[in-house]
Amino acid sequence: MSKYFTEIKELPPDPLFGLKARYVADKRTDKVDLGIGAYRDNNGKPWILPAVRKAERKLIDSEGYNHEYLSISGYEPFLEQSAKVILGEDSQAIQQGAVVSQQSLSGTGALHLAAAFLKQFYAGTHTIYLSKPTWANHNQIFSSVGFKVDSYPYWDAKNKKLDLEGYLATIKSAPRGSIFVLHACAHNPTGLDPTAQEWTQILQTIADHDHLPLFDSAYQGFASGDLNKDAAPIREAIKAGTISSPILICQSFAKNVGMYGERVGAIHVVLPLSENASTRDPLKKAIKSQLNKLTRSEFSNPPAYGAKIVATILTDNELRKQWQEDLITMSSRIISMRKELKRQLEELGTPGTWDHITNQTGMFSFTGLSADMVARLEKNHGVYLVSSGRASVAGLNEHNVSKVAKAFDEVIRHFAKSKL
């Protein structure tokens, strides 16, 4: 061992990418990948959105197309349009100049940028609350910059529903000025979202206790097929009088435009609408300068290609219409797979109730399978899930859903028998 790095220990592989590596190494021809969060078509293949194909051709053929550096802040047409997508075309926050936007390396980069910014400048309590469970990467993003990470109850495993009572109780008991990370829609990993009425309660309780909300928006339009519906909690939080603190939004276009490897995202800092412009404008400039400093020190300036594709789609009426059709294609196929999996499990008489499969939304489903069941699925059936029992419903299709249902049925019955 080198004397210079005596404290370094090898860490286990990232759970998700370790799972992917095992799947790739598996020689079975009927294996099924329900692990990684990426959309697949009905033949299990990656899908380039028709809107993206058209945008790429238009972009490459456009006069002045090049691969020059962007500014540190990012591609301005993308920033302007991405803010409108998440906040709404008629957003008061945009109209009143209350938004600071910065391009990021997809949603993960936006979260890390938000974490670094808040750790340095947020005057409130440096405790950040994550849903239990949450996306596995959330914890290490915030802990790596020095935040104390806590959690709020979310998934009621016994009843397979939202633990709203526990959720609200934690908001009330947390130190005033804490930070709450909220999944805007298509909660990862459970696929379970609060209802509109529950969101109203959650946001009002956060406001009453002077907490700062940080929205992670990775699935807008991908969950329901409706951009406005999936952004509704964010827009409600921004309404004058709902939340008096700034609101941070971390936005990804990985899923809803299929820009997985292009790393297209943004962070939006929305300042309170109650502040007047004379106070707000100098603060906006200060925030922008600090976000630029953080960006410059980490990756100098963001990648251009994916951001230009997204901006091309958002600024062309025909392409935007095509994109919205693409969102419906993806979301409706996933919804149909939820229904078919539930139908087949019920037809098999699989022990348990399966309403939660169709009550959930978006890419993922918290199936309720235990880690032991997941291990048996992988070993005996070649069906790959995260050990928590989270399944990527996007990996289901008409060719493999029957195999998956039968595999679920076998492992559930196996462990039910072993308890007798």
Side-chain angles (χ1 to χ4, degrees):
M1 177 65 73
S2 168
K3 65 180 180 180
Y4 299 105
F5 300 112
T6 57
E7 299 302 315
I8 294 181
K9 296 180 180 178
E10 183 179 359
L11 296 173
D14 178 271
L16 193 54
F17 285 90
L19 175 73
K20 183 66 174 179
R22 296 198 305 276
Y23 172 80
V24 170
D26 192 331
K27 301 302 182 184
R28 286 173 283 191
T29 57
D30 62 344
K31 61 187 179 180
V32 181
D33 182 7
L34 303 183
I36 202 152
Y39 181 78
R40 296 291 180 259
D41 66 16
N42 196 46
N43 292 310
K45 303 296 184 184
W47 191 57
I48 299 175
L49 277 62
V52 170
R53 288 193 183 277
K54 293 175 183 178
E56 286 183 299
R57 286 194 291 269
K58 180 179 179 180
L59 176 63
I60 292 170
D61 292 340
S62 63
E63 185 178 352
Y65 171 69
N66 58 58
H67 296 287
E68 293 293 302
Y69 290 125
L70 297 180
S71 70
I72 297 173
S73 294
Y75 188 52
E76 285 302 325
F78 164 73
L79 292 174
E80 179 182 346
Q81 293 300 320
S82 64
K84 289 180 179 179
V85 166
I86 197 71
L87 302 177
E89 293 285 340
D90 58 351
S91 166
Q92 282 191 326
I94 294 175
Q95 292 172 2
Q96 294 182 24
V99 184
V100 180
S101 299
Q102 187 90 355
Q103 192 177 330
S104 64
L105 298 178
S106 202
T108 303
L111 286 160
H112 188 264
L113 195 55
F117 175 77
L118 290 171
K119 187 67 175 71
Q120 189 170 352
F121 297 108
Y122 181 54
T125 305
H126 280 197
T127 300
I128 196 149
Y129 285 82
L130 308 174
S131 66
K132 187 176 182 179
T134 193
W135 179 48
N137 211 17
H138 274 150
N139 194 307
Q140 61 188 15
I141 288 171
F142 291 101
S143 61
S144 69
V145 300
F147 273 104
K148 177 185 175 184
V149 177
D150 210 325
S151 64
Y152 55 88
Y154 193 88
W155 173 252
D156 177 350
K158 181 180 179 181
N159 298 300
K160 296 183 175 64
K161 66 184 186 71
L162 181 69
D163 182 1
L164 182 63
E165 185 177 340
Y167 192 159
L168 295 175
T170 301
I171 296 173
K172 293 173 183 177
S173 64
R176 293 187 76 84
S178 296
I179 302 167
F180 277 77
V181 175
L182 310 174
H183 299 232
C185 67
H187 183 272
N188 182 1
T190 68
L192 178 67
D193 289 342
T195 64
Q197 293 76 20
E198 288 168 341
W199 267 121
T200 297
Q201 288 181 268
I202 291 163
L203 295 172
Q204 189 58 59
T205 308
I206 285 174
D208 292 343
H209 292 79
D210 200 27
H211 299 314
L212 185 147
L214 191 164
F215 284 96
D216 185 355
S217 179
Y219 303 98
Q220 185 191 1
F222 191 94
S224 69
D226 186 328
L227 291 165
N228 295 323
K229 180 179 178 181
D230 292 347
I234 294 174
R235 297 177 189 181
E236 181 176 348
I238 292 169
K239 288 179 184 177
T242 304
I243 303 284
S244 60
S245 72
I247 293 169
L248 272 66
I249 304 161
C250 296
Q251 181 184 29
S252 168
F253 288 91
K255 307 297 193 298
N256 59 10
V257 188
M259 292 283 100
Y260 301 102
E262 302 299 338
R263 315 311 294 142
V264 184
I267 175 174
H268 306 283
V269 182
V270 184
L271 299 176
L273 300 183
S274 57
E275 292 188 5
N276 59 55
S278 62
T279 302
R280 194 167 56 218
D281 290 348
L283 179 57
K284 281 178 59 183
K285 291 178 181 178
I287 291 171
K288 173 61 81 172
S289 70
Q290 294 295 343
L291 290 175
N292 280 342
K293 181 182 177 183
L294 290 168
T295 297
R296 178 68 169 150
S297 66
E298 288 200 0
F299 51 91
S300 188
N301 51 70
Y305 185 69
K308 288 180 178 179
I309 291 172
V310 174
T312 300
I313 292 170
L314 297 180
T315 54
D316 181 301
N317 289 337
E318 183 180 335
L319 292 178
R320 177 129 183 182
K321 181 181 178 182
Q322 177 66 62
W323 176 48
Q324 290 173 323
E325 291 174 3
D326 297 343
L327 289 171
I328 293 170
T329 296
M330 292 188 290
S331 59
S332 60
R333 199 189 77 75
I334 289 175
I335 290 168
S336 71
M337 284 299 102
R338 287 185 179 278
K339 292 177 179 177
E340 184 59 18
L341 178 60
K342 177 192 172 188
R343 186 192 70 78
Q344 293 206 24
L345 288 169
E346 290 178 341
E347 190 174 87
L348 289 166
T350 306
T353 59
W354 299 100
D355 288 344
H356 61 284
I357 299 291
T358 50
N359 290 340
Q360 296 161 356
T361 189
M363 181 173 285
F364 300 113
S365 171
F366 228 40
T367 60
L369 272 62
S370 68
D372 288 340
M373 291 176 180
V374 169
R376 184 175 176 88
L377 274 175
E378 181 176 325
K379 181 181 178 181
N380 289 19
H381 301 279
V383 176
Y384 286 76
L385 274 70
V386 180
S387 62
S388 65
R390 186 199 80 172
S392 176
V393 186
L396 290 174
N397 58 61
E398 65 181 21
H399 309 296
N400 65 23
V401 66
S402 179
K403 171 187 169 66
V404 170
K406 290 173 182 175
F408 278 25
D409 183 74
E410 190 279 327
V411 298
I412 290 168
R413 292 183 188 277
H414 172 83
F415 283 97
K417 189 182 298 183
S418 67
K419 291 180 181 179
L420 295 178

